[in-house]
């Protein structure tokens, strides 16, 4: 009998930080798993693994609450430096392309992704990199159009998605980036799937989270994560860092 991390291979799509008050623990566990089991864990970069975003959305604040300013600034700088080297996409068995955001008008081959030079300090300065982190599918759209919801990148329609799949010889695209009530959502006759694992992302909506499973014969399934609640019906969530400093040293 072997534990799951030695019998399964895992892909994490991104956005490890700014998604709660334990960004430091989450990121540390993920990096540790990658170091100890490098062939079993693939960590993709999300749009919050960029300095401009996580400076405003919670990660820097969390570090400043838990450490001295000097320590917090050092950790913030070093984590963000590590993020600049994280991959923007990966491919499963040459047929399923995974990224955090979506496709791009600049995506004409898989080599285009490999040719993006690292470190990528500001992904939005490179159109393809920005789209891999930010773009979204849109039902009924033909082609691409500016993503007014995000204020950056593009929306893409089913027609260009099918063109990319044919051109790159792919079966499916797996991405994150958008909340779904049931944790996942298909697009374009199941040729693209959005997977959102953070259950109860907004406490008032109580969305479910999902984990996607892909079998060796390309069948896909989902494990659904139902939001957990504590006393008084409140979301189980550590609101402050009062216990964390006991372990930080």
């Amino acid at each position: 009998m072997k534990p799951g991390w030695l019998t399964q291979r895992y892909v994490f799509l991104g956005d490890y930080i700014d998604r709660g008050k334990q960004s430091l623990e989450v990121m540390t566990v993920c990096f540790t798993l990658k170091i100890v089991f490098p062939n079993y864990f693939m960590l993709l970069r999300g749009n919050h693994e960029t300095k401009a975003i996580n400076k405003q959305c919670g990660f820097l604040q969390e570090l400043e609450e838990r450490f001295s300013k000097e320590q917090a600034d050092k950790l913030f700088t070093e984590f963000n430096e590590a993020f600049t080297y994280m991959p923007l996409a990966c491919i499963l068995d040459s047929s399923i392309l995974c990224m955090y955001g979506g496709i791009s008008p600049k995506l004409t081959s898989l080599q285009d992704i490999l040719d993006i030079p690292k470190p990528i300090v500001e992904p939005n300065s490179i159109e393809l990199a920005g789209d891999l982190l930010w773009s979204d599918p849109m039902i009924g759209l033909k082609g691409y159009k500016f993503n007014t919801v995000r204020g950056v990148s593009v929306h893409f329609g089913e027609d260009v998605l099918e063109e990319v799949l044919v051109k790159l010889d792919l079966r499916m695209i797996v991405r994150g980036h958008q909340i779904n009530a049931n944790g996942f959502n298909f697009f374009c006759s199941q040729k693209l799937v959005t997977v959102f694992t953070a259950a109860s992302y907004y406490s008032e909506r109580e969305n479910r989270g999902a984990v996607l499973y892909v079998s060796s014969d390309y069948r896909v399934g989902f494990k659904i994560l139902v939001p957990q609640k504590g006393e008084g019906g409140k979301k189980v969530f550590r609101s402050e860092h009062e216990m964390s400093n006991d372990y930080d040293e």
Side-chain angles (χ1 to χ4, degrees), residues 138-141 143 156-163 187-189:
M138 176 177 279
I139 295 174
L141 176 67
F156 57 90
E158 295 184 11
D159 56 339
V160 289
L161 174 64
E162 291 184 331
E163 289 174 8
F187 178 74
C188 190
S189 302

Side-chain angles (χ1 to χ4, degrees), residues 9-13 16 40-44 90 92 98:
R9 302 185 73 184
Y10 299 85
V11 174
F12 293 89
L13 296 174
Y16 314 92
Y40 289 87
F41 289 86
M42 172 61 69
L43 306 181
L44 301 185
C90 73
L92 310 182
C98 305

Side-chain angles (χ1 to χ4, degrees), residues 18-231:
D18 298 336
R19 293 301 186 233
K21 300 291 187 178
Q22 295 169 297
S23 294
L24 183 61
E25 284 87 349
V26 171
M27 199 70 256
T28 301
V29 167
C30 287
F31 276 165
T32 301
L33 289 169
K34 180 62 178 177
I35 291 167
V36 177
F37 306 108
N39 296 323
Y40 289 87
F41 289 86
M42 172 61 69
L43 306 181
L44 301 185
R45 186 179 186 180
N47 58 16
H48 279 252
E49 282 72 60
T50 56
K51 193 173 185 178
I53 300 296
N54 61 54
K55 184 177 182 179
Q56 302 295 326
C57 294
F59 187 48
L60 178 59
Q61 180 185 359
E62 176 181 331
L63 295 174
E64 289 177 340
E65 289 176 0
R66 299 171 65 174
F67 298 93
S68 69
K69 188 177 188 313
E70 182 180 359
Q71 290 174 317
D73 288 345
K74 186 172 188 291
L75 283 167
F76 181 74
T77 298
E78 292 183 348
F79 268 106
N80 274 287
E81 181 181 1
F83 297 156
T84 67
Y85 290 93
M86 294 178 74
L88 300 177
C90 73
I91 191 162
L92 310 182
D93 200 29
S94 302
S95 65
I96 300 177
L97 182 63
C98 305
M99 77 283 280
Y100 180 74
I103 63 172
S104 169
K106 295 294 185 180
L107 181 58
T108 61
S109 71
L110 295 175
Q111 190 63 42
D112 292 337
I113 301 175
L114 294 172
D115 288 342
I116 300 174
K118 290 187 176 68
I120 310 171
V121 177
E122 179 42 71
N124 289 340
S125 66
I126 305 170
E127 186 175 342
L128 176 56
D131 292 339
L132 289 170
L133 293 178
W134 285 96
S135 73
D136 295 309
M138 176 177 279
I139 295 174
L141 176 67
K142 298 291 185 182
Y144 296 93
K145 76 170 187 176
F146 180 69
N147 193 327
T148 55
V149 176
R150 308 285 184 184
V152 66
S153 187
V154 294
H155 286 292
F156 57 90
E158 295 184 11
D159 56 339
V160 289
L161 174 64
E162 291 184 331
E163 289 174 8
V164 167
L165 291 174
V166 171
K167 188 178 295 184
L168 274 57
D169 192 23
L170 298 171
R171 289 172 177 263
M172 173 185 268
I173 286 179
V174 177
R175 43 92 68 178
H177 198 34
Q178 289 178 296
I179 186 172
N180 294 285
N182 291 316
F184 69 94
N185 189 38
F186 284 109
F187 178 74
C188 190
S189 302
Q190 301 188 353
K191 294 174 183 175
L192 179 147
V193 62
T194 297
V195 182
F196 195 88
T197 309
S200 197
Y201 179 63
Y202 295 114
S203 57
E204 66 274 14
R205 297 185 188 178
E206 298 181 1
N207 66 285
R208 296 184 176 190
V211 177
L212 172 70
Y213 288 83
V214 182
S215 67
S216 59
D217 58 355
Y218 303 107
R219 289 183 297 173
V220 300
F222 299 89
K223 181 176 179 62
I224 304 301
L225 309 177
V226 179
Q228 299 293 306
K229 289 191 174 183
E231 295 182 12

Side-chain angles (χ1 to χ4, degrees), residues 221-248:
F222 299 89
K223 181 176 179 62
I224 304 301
L225 309 177
V226 179
Q228 299 293 306
K229 289 191 174 183
E231 295 182 12
K234 293 183 179 180
K235 179 181 174 183
V236 176
F237 186 78
R238 193 178 70 196
S239 60
E240 300 295 341
H241 305 298
E242 68 282 346
M243 295 170 57
S244 301
N245 288 325
D246 295 340
Y247 307 98
D248 282 339

